[in-house]
């Protein structure tokens, strides 16, 4: 740590027990501290035309700039035959706190994606969008497009605070609007201070030789030990899966007044196959935070993990492991000490009732209308007469709404005036966008990207989801329970981007065609699921589900969800 | 030695004598004092200096001129050779014996570098070369419509300018190497006859000078058959191009090639659209690294037909459609103007598009030989992601330090187009440092506009870096070219 952070809080070295000795730090830690504020040698690497890839150092650096290098794994053999290196390209993820953009921004985004990427904008579970297939030469122009439309990709990946997500549904509480604004406020408060982004992508002024990067009291020169995620929701809706993030904020208010948030810390879904030290963890709700203290609170939670998180093993670096290593009491005590106040007891809030999106129209408390349209796996494409890409374009061109990406990877047309509802419906109908034809299981299903682009994927994700859901639906039909939604999620690897650990039927990729089958999560998102089959192929999974769904159809209690039934009969 | 009277008579005689009469007199005097045989091996006064001018594209004309020099020198003549590239009509002295060797390309055209000279000859006034004794030898390919057009045109023009041919035109086909030795003998004989002298037979000398490989496998008349071992389109989806890498296996150990040579491809009659002429493709493989194989890098030539459909070049389409296991008929076309420099020399290779082919050969060859010289490659195409020909191989050569430097120009990867000549300019100081250090520069690819743009870039770079005028820089580049330090294989 450099000298300019002398005023940083004192770290209790005793509890660290020798952890994070300089000689034991992971390689990535060295990358970060030597990067001069996340610059590294990215500018040079982007100019290198011998390869479309970047070095290991570059890979770590570019994450902080919202990007991963990927290659089309389906095409490796063919590229090798052509005497070309693998088909490398970049994924770029934007930072869109709360998922809100204007119609104009959407048009510019889609055009940029058509010109410079695959043309398929992907809505993610973090309420943002990402481009795939951006080759190296197009990285700078794409980043410059974002700048031109008033957006950026800063800290959308990497060991920093990621895109802040917040419940998208405005219908329940009048204070929802104020809650929603906190996504942008927290994002701004925890944004890295470095000028690297401007320098690397926007031809900003270059740091001079020997000059130090902009001081950053939160991230210092070492950033966080691992990614850090904040989610906010307004009960009874839990579309963000509030307990599975480093910080989960549950809004507390009355009428149109927001009071503050019940705060959960230490949630997280990532794990590693075969490593028992890794596990998904539900967050602990530690108290109520008044709204004027919540920015400080988020900042200090990140700072505590900055100081106490494991920087030797990245698999042990997240806040959830720090809490389990040092104890929740220690962490809470450290937070209260740093914040200068004690947490108030948790306040009573309405129970969560569901996580799925409110498809179709809902109205907020200022008489504005919101229409949520289903986007399968978040992929904005025209397919089989369901032309969501065309519909979004035409609605944006009509300039009668804003757009909001939901944590379920759908799109919501926001702030629609009563007078414009018919127009919006007309455009949707014209492009085949309907809700009715689809049953709830499909509408609420979710998957991560996985193959062929994600370098971490062990099995298929979004490409397989429609087929798998169809087969689950067939079983539901067979047992006469098609009208009961079952939260079904697939994630291509144990990192869990598809949030399969918080599903009633959760598949976690293990090998090509093989998944861990997890059951017993609840419909509302209060409880994580458990492993039922360690490594199963589709046939085995479907046979298992056939049997269980049959039993569920016959034996379930009144109103009991499949998740609750599985938990009761299989794991209790 | 002679009296004043004798001097006076001689002066009168010489003043009234034509050039030819003077030569005749010189020969006559020589005869009077004891004949030529006594001095056959050394240049003598009555044998005029001989100039061999060659116009060459692939080096064959130059090779022939070198053979002739050897034989003519042995016959006791003073002889020099020179490319016609920078030759001006007024520089041709009528009192020399001039032998022109010219190859023909395309539709009866002279080699690219010789065009200015051919133009100058065409524009010179009648009688400008009055009294010149000359002979013309042409190299060509009788499968083209106009056979040896450049040589026959030149002959006609020289006659118009007042020259006198001392021997009939000799027009050679692709199998020239087996006919030239006897022609060289005949030429020396004609020269001797012209000057009334005799020379000992020079056949042995000519045979010794034989460097051109000939016979089976080396001309279109005696091609060999190979098998397609592999064929792959190097361009990836999204590319506007199709460039085929074709590996041909053949098992005739007597047929060998050198880096820089081309393969003459013969398209079967039923597919050649009535055009039996072979087409040359620079060989992309290394004779030692890829033993027993010839690799080609072939761009599929396309054009829009009148009816809006896409038409294809006959040769490239034939090659692109080959399948693994197909037979293919070809021969080795030697290119002595594109030889790989000796192992200790640095080389700079400029090869955008399919111009990359010979450099793939060079690098594998140098890798196999463990050559010490450094290798610098300039490559360009449209898009890096889908058009970077042999990308994975270059990456390996860089990793193993067989390739020391690479500069890439992908024209359509950014708004403003970037080409190899732009990369040359960006690296001006280093390019000149390499040249000054003795590097040989190779250029392969499209003649127009690429090779001209590269020429201009090199002239600009030399002018700027050496602080000399453009003309001086152009001369410097021409010198490099004449000294085989700047070699081109452009098409």
């Amino acid at each position: 740590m450099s000298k300019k952070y002398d005023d940083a809080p004192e770290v209790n070295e005793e509890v660290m027990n020798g952890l994070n000795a300089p000689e034991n730090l992971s390689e990535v830690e060295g990358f970060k501290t030597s990067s001069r504020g996340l610059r590294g040698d990215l500018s040079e690497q982007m100019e290198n035309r011998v390869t479309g890839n970047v070095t290991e150092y570059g890979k770590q650096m570019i994450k902080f700039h919202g990007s991963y290098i990927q290659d089309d794994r389906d095409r490796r053999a063919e590229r090798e035959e052509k005497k070309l290196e693998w088909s490398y390209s970049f994924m770029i993820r934007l930072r869109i706190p709360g998922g809100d953009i204007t119609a104009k921004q959407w048009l510019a985004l889609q055009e940029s994606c058509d010109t410079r990427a695959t043309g398929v904008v992907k809505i993610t579970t973090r309420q943002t969008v990402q481009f795939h297939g951006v080759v190296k030469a197009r990285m700078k122009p794409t980043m410059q497009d974002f700048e031109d439309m008033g957006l950026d990709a800063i800290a959308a990946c990497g060991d920093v605070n990621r895109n802040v997500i917040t419940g998208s549904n405005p219908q329940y509480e009048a204070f929802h609007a104020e809650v929603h604004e906190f996504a942008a406020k927290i994002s701004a408060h925890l944004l890295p201070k470095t000028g690297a982004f401007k320098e690397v992508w926007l031809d900003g002024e270059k740091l001079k030789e020997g000059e130090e990067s902009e001081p950053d009291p939160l991230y210092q020169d070492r950033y966080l030990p691992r990614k850090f995620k904040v989610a906010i929701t307004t009960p009874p809706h839990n579309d963000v899966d509030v307990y599975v993030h480093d910080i989960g904020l549950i809004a507390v208010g009355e009428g149109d007044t927001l009071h503050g948030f019940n705060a959960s810390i230490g949630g997280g879904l990532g794990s590693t196959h075969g490593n028992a030290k890794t596990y998904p963890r539900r967050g602990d709700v530690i108290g109520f935070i008044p709204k004027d203290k919540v920015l400080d609170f988020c900042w200090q939670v990140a700072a505590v993990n900055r100081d106490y998180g494991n920087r030797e093993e990245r698999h042990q670096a997240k806040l959830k492991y720090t809490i389990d290593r040092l104890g929740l009491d220690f962490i809470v005590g450290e937070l209260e000490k740093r914040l200068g106040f004690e947490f108030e007891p948790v306040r009573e809030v309405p129970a969560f009732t569901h996580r799925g999106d409110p498809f179709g129209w809902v109205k907020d408390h200022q008489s504005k209308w919101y229409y949520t349209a289903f986007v399968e796996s978040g992929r904005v494409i025209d397919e089989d007469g369901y032309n969501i890409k065309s519909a979004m374009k035409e609605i944006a061109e009509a300039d009668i709404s804003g757009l909001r990406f939901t944590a379920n990877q759908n799109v919501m047309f926001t702030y629609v005036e009563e007078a414009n509802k018919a127009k919006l419906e007309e455009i949707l109908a014209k492009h085949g966008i309907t809700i009715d034809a689809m049953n709830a299981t499909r509408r609420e299903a979710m998957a991560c990207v996985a193959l062929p682009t994600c370098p971490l994927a062990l099995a298929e994700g979004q490409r397989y989801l429609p087929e798998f859901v169809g087969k689950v639906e067939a079983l539901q039909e067979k047992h006469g329970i098609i009208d009961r939604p079952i939260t079904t999620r697939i994630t291509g690897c144990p990192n869990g981007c598809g949030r399969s650990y918080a599903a009633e039927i959760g598949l976690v990729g293990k090998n090509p065609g093989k998944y861990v089958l997890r059951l017993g999560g609840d419909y509302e998102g209060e409880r994580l699921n458990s492993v039922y089959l360690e490594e199963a192929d589709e046939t085995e999974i479907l046979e298992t589900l056939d049997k269980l769904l049959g039993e569920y159809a016959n034996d379930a209690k009144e109103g009991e969800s499949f998740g609750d039934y599985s938990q009761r009969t299989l794991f209790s | 030695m002679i009296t004043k009277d004798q001097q006076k008579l001689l002066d009168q005689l010489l003043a009234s004598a034509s050039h030819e009469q003077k030569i005749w007199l010189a020969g006559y005097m020589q005869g009077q004092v004891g004949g030529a045989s006594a001095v056959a091996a050394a240049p003598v006064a009555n044998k005029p200096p001989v100039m061999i001018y060659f116009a060459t594209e692939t080096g064959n004309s130059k090779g022939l001129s070198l053979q002739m020099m050897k034989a003519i020198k042995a016959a006791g003549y003073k002889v020099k050779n020179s490319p016609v590239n920078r030759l001006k009509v007024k520089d041709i002295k009528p009192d020399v014996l001039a032998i022109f060797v010219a190859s023909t390309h395309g539709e009866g055209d002279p080699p690219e570098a010789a065009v200015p000279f051919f133009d100058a000859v065409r524009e010179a006034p009648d009688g400008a070369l009055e009294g010149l004794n000359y002979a013309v030898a042409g190299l060509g390919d009788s499968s083209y419509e106009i056979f040896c057009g450049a040589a026959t045109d030149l002959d006609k023009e020289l006659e118009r300018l007042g020259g006198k041919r001392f021997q009939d035109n000799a027009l050679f086909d692709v199998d020239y190497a087996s006919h030239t030795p006897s022609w060289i003998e005949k030429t020396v004989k004609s020269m001797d006859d012209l000057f009334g002298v005799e020379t000992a037979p020079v056949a042995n000398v000519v045979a010794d000078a034989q460097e051109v490989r000939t016979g089976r496998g080396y001309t279109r008349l005696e091609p060999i058959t190979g098998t397609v071992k592999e064929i792959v389109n190097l361009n990836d989806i999204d590319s506007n191009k199709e460039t085929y890498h074709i590996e041909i296996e053949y098992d005739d150990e007597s047929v060998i090639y050198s880096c820089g040579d081309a393969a003459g491809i013969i398209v079967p009659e039923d597919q050649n659209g009535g055009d039996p002429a072979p087409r040359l493709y620079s060989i992309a493989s290394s004779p030692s690294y890829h033993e027993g194989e010839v690799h080609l890098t072939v761009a599929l030539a396309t054009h829009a037909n009148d009816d809006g459909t896409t038409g294809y070049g006959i040769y490239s389409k034939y090659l692109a459609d080959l399948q693994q296991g197909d037979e293919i008929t070809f021969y080795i076309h030697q290119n002595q103007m594109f030889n790989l420099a000796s192992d200790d020399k640095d080389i700079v290779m400029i090869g955008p598009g399919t111009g990359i082919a010979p450099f793939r050969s060079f690098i594998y060859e140098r890798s196999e030989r463990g050559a010490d010289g450094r290798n610098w490659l300039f490559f360009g195409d449209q898009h890096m992601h889908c058009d970077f020909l042999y990308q994975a191989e270059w990456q390996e050569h860089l990793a193993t330090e067989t390739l020391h430097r690479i500069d890439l120009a992908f024209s359509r990867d950014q708004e403003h187009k970037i080409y190899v000549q732009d990369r040359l300019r960006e690296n001006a100081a280093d390019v000149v440092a390499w040249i000054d250090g003795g590097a040989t520069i190779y250029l392969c690819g499209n003649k127009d506009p690429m090779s001209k743009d590269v020429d201009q870039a090199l002239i600009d770079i030399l002018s700027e870096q050496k602080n000399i005028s453009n003309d001086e820089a152009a001369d410097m580049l021409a010198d490099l070219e004449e000294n085989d330090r700047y070699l081109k294989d452009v098409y």
Side-chain angles (χ1 to χ4, degrees), chain A residues 48-53 75 78-89 116 135-138 141, chain B residues 230 232-237 245 247 360 383-386 388 390-393 395 398 406 408 410 413:
Chain A
N48 177 324
R49 292 287 179 271
V50 176
T51 175
N53 198 357
R75 303 202 58 246
E78 201 187 335
R79 293 274 297 187
E80 281 171 19
E81 256 178 50
K82 288 175 175 292
K83 306 185 189 294
L84 292 166
E85 66 177 2
W86 290 346
S87 181
Y88 291 106
S89 64
R116 312 203 191 273
V135 296
K136 195 190 257 187
R138 292 182 177 159
Chain B
E230 202 182 305
V232 63
N233 176 9
L234 296 170
N235 299 101
D236 203 4
I237 42 180
H245 172 73
E247 299 187 356
R360 181 174 182 268
H383 296 289
M384 176 206 167
H385 185 255
C386 51
F388 191 168
Y390 303 109
Q391 178 189 28
E393 295 183 356
Q395 289 181 348
L398 283 166
I406 189 166
L408 300 160
F410 293 102
D413 272 353

Side-chain angles (χ1 to χ4, degrees), chain B residues 62-110:
Chain B
K62 186 183 180 187
L64 181 54
S65 83
L66 292 172
Q67 282 182 56
M68 294 181 71
M69 271 180 83
K70 234 173 173 173
I72 293 169
K73 211 179 262 175
Y77 292 82
K78 271 188 184 166
V79 57
K80 279 189 184 170
N81 77 340
S82 163
V84 299
N85 304 15
R86 283 193 288 166
L87 184 65
K88 298 191 171 65
V89 174
K90 66 175 170 52
D91 295 336
I92 302 173
K93 300 280 178 278
D95 56 350
V96 302
L97 201 63
I99 301 172
F100 293 87
V101 184
S103 60
T104 295
H105 297 269
E107 293 164 10
D109 301 326

Side-chain angles (χ1 to χ4, degrees), chain A residues 6 16 67 101 109 134 204 218 227 229 243 278-279 340 349 438 443 453 483 489 501 531 545 561-563:
Chain A
D6 277 353
M16 290 305 278
S67 183
I101 61 167
L109 263 177
V134 181
L218 174 57
K227 61 188 167 190
K229 297 179 176 177
Y243 297 117
T278 67
Y279 44 83
V349 289
M438 213 174 294
R443 286 195 310 232
T453 52
D483 55 335
R489 296 176 175 178
Y501 302 101
V531 175
L545 290 176
S561 68
F562 179 65

Side-chain angles (χ1 to χ4, degrees), chain A residues 110-366:
Chain A
Q110 182 64 69
E111 195 193 333
S112 178
C113 186
D114 288 341
T115 318
R116 312 203 191 273
T118 58
V120 181
V121 175
K122 157 87 181 177
I123 304 172
T124 80
T125 56
R126 288 208 76 76
Q127 281 191 295
T128 183
V129 293
Q130 59 195 35
F131 289 7
H132 289 268
V134 181
V135 296
K136 195 190 257 187
R138 292 182 177 159
M139 281 294 280
K140 267 179 88 168
T142 309
M143 293 288 199
Q144 283 161 1
D145 285 351
F146 296 161
E147 168 77 3
D148 292 344
M149 57 185 95
L151 295 171
D152 62 63
I154 299 173
C157 318
D159 300 340
V160 279
N161 177 47
R162 303 289 190 86
N163 198 45
V164 179
I165 64 175
T166 179
S168 47
N169 189 344
Q171 75 184 112
Y172 298 108
E173 303 288 355
F175 59 77
H176 178 270
E178 192 179 350
V179 173
H180 203 266
E181 285 168 11
F182 266 92
K185 286 182 186 168
I186 294 169
S187 181
H189 197 63
L190 271 61
L191 204 62
K193 307 274 187 230
T194 173
F197 310 105
K198 278 201 157 51
E199 180 179 318
V200 174
W201 308 112
L202 307 175
D203 297 322
E205 206 178 315
K206 290 220 181 313
L207 206 58
K208 289 180 190 68
E209 191 71 30
E211 195 179 350
E212 283 195 57
S213 183
E214 299 76 1
D216 193 327
L218 174 57
Y219 294 112
Q220 303 174 345
D221 55 2
R222 54 186 177 157
Y223 297 84
L224 300 181
R226 202 74 166 83
K227 61 188 167 190
F228 189 81
K229 297 179 176 177
V230 180
I232 313 168
T233 199
T234 306
H237 202 177
N238 186 21
D239 53 350
V240 299
D241 269 311
V242 75
Y243 297 117
V244 305
H245 307 268
D246 294 274
I247 296 178
L249 299 172
I250 302 155
V252 179
E254 208 178 348
D256 56 8
T257 309
L258 172 71
H259 298 317
F261 302 88
N262 288 335
S264 150
I265 61 168
L269 294 182
S271 69
T272 306
H273 288 310
N275 184 348
K277 281 159 62 189
T278 67
Y279 44 83
R281 185 182 190 277
R282 182 190 187 277
D284 298 299
V285 181
I286 57 169
F288 170 80
I289 315 290
K291 67 177 176 186
D292 60 339
K293 301 276 187 9
V294 77
L295 293 181
D296 259 4
F297 171 76
C298 292
W299 199 100
Q300 291 295 358
V301 174
V304 163
N305 203 45
R306 175 198 68 202
D307 295 341
Y308 290 97
N310 186 329
R311 289 178 185 262
E312 296 182 12
E313 281 183 80
R314 288 183 65 77
H315 284 151
Q316 294 294 300
K318 284 208 68 169
L319 177 64
K320 63 182 178 180
Y321 301 117
T322 311
I323 292 172
D324 286 351
R325 190 178 86 243
L326 300 177
L328 186 62
D329 289 349
F330 174 84
I331 298 295
V332 169
E334 189 71 20
L335 282 171
E336 287 179 335
K337 190 172 80 188
R338 292 181 180 203
L339 284 162
F341 65 87
E342 286 184 13
F343 297 135
E344 294 176 36
V346 172
R347 302 228 180 140
E348 200 177 321
V349 289
F352 292 130
T353 57
H354 63 295
R355 287 178 288 169
D357 284 338
F359 292 105
W361 289 110
V362 297
K363 190 161 89 168
D364 73 6
H365 295 256
Q366 279 96 44

Side-chain angles (χ1 to χ4, degrees), chain A residues 56-74:
Chain A
E56 195 53 41
Y57 184 24
K59 278 177 198 165
Q60 295 300 333
M61 269 315 105
I62 202 154
K63 285 187 195 173
F64 292 84
H65 298 245
S67 183
Y68 280 87
I69 184 84
Q70 309 188 319
D71 81 276
D72 188 337
R73 294 165 63 175
D74 287 351

Side-chain angles (χ1 to χ4, degrees), chain A residues 288-542:
Chain A
F288 170 80
I289 315 290
K291 67 177 176 186
D292 60 339
K293 301 276 187 9
V294 77
L295 293 181
D296 259 4
F297 171 76
C298 292
W299 199 100
Q300 291 295 358
V301 174
V304 163
N305 203 45
R306 175 198 68 202
D307 295 341
Y308 290 97
N310 186 329
R311 289 178 185 262
E312 296 182 12
E313 281 183 80
R314 288 183 65 77
H315 284 151
Q316 294 294 300
K318 284 208 68 169
L319 177 64
K320 63 182 178 180
Y321 301 117
T322 311
I323 292 172
D324 286 351
R325 190 178 86 243
L326 300 177
L328 186 62
D329 289 349
F330 174 84
I331 298 295
V332 169
E334 189 71 20
L335 282 171
E336 287 179 335
K337 190 172 80 188
R338 292 181 180 203
L339 284 162
F341 65 87
E342 286 184 13
F343 297 135
E344 294 176 36
V346 172
R347 302 228 180 140
E348 200 177 321
V349 289
F352 292 130
T353 57
H354 63 295
R355 287 178 288 169
D357 284 338
F359 292 105
W361 289 110
V362 297
K363 190 161 89 168
D364 73 6
H365 295 256
Q366 279 96 44
S367 298
K368 292 277 171 51
W369 289 88
Y370 299 72
Y371 186 100
T372 306
F374 176 68
V375 183
E376 186 150 49
S377 296
R379 300 177 74 235
V380 180
I381 48 170
D382 289 348
E383 196 170 55
D384 301 332
Y386 191 89
N387 299 334
I388 190 69
K389 182 175 176 180
S390 298
M392 285 168 74
K393 182 163 188 275
E394 196 172 334
I395 290 168
E397 281 167 350
D399 201 18
I400 51 175
S401 82
L403 285 90
R404 177 176 295 168
F405 308 115
T406 79
N408 288 306
Q409 306 180 326
N410 296 309
V411 66
M412 184 182 250
F413 300 101
T414 53
Y415 314 112
V416 182
E417 300 287 348
E418 175 82 40
N420 288 327
K421 280 179 71 185
K423 172 74 180 163
L424 195 135
E425 282 176 6
E426 184 195 315
I427 298 171
L428 289 171
K430 179 177 156 192
H431 296 288
I433 308 305
T434 57
I435 302 299
D436 306 340
M438 213 174 294
N439 78 55
T441 298
R442 181 170 294 266
R443 286 195 310 232
E444 295 184 15
M446 184 189 293
C448 69
V449 176
L451 294 171
T453 52
C454 178
L456 304 172
L458 303 169
E460 295 285 349
Q462 69 183 19
R463 287 203 296 202
Y464 174 51
L465 183 76
E467 183 188 338
F468 181 72
V469 169
K471 287 170 178 172
V472 171
E473 284 174 333
L475 294 175
Q476 285 184 277
E477 290 272 11
K478 177 179 166 186
H479 298 295
I481 49 168
I482 190 69
D483 55 335
R484 298 194 216 171
I486 300 173
T487 318
T488 304
R489 296 176 175 178
I490 302 178
T491 201
C493 85
N495 280 308
C497 297
R499 300 209 291 262
S500 295
Y501 302 101
E504 296 179 272
I505 298 173
L507 268 55
V508 180
K510 197 158 185 185
N511 276 307
K514 300 277 183 70
Y515 295 86
V516 178
L517 174 62
R518 302 183 64 105
L519 298 171
D522 61 325
Y523 181 71
E524 299 79 11
E526 292 278 351
R527 178 183 67 237
L528 300 185
N529 52 24
S530 309
V531 175
Y532 186 68
L533 295 176
E534 269 294 353
E535 186 171 351
D537 62 13
E538 185 187 68
T539 309
E540 199 182 345
I541 290 169
L542 291 175

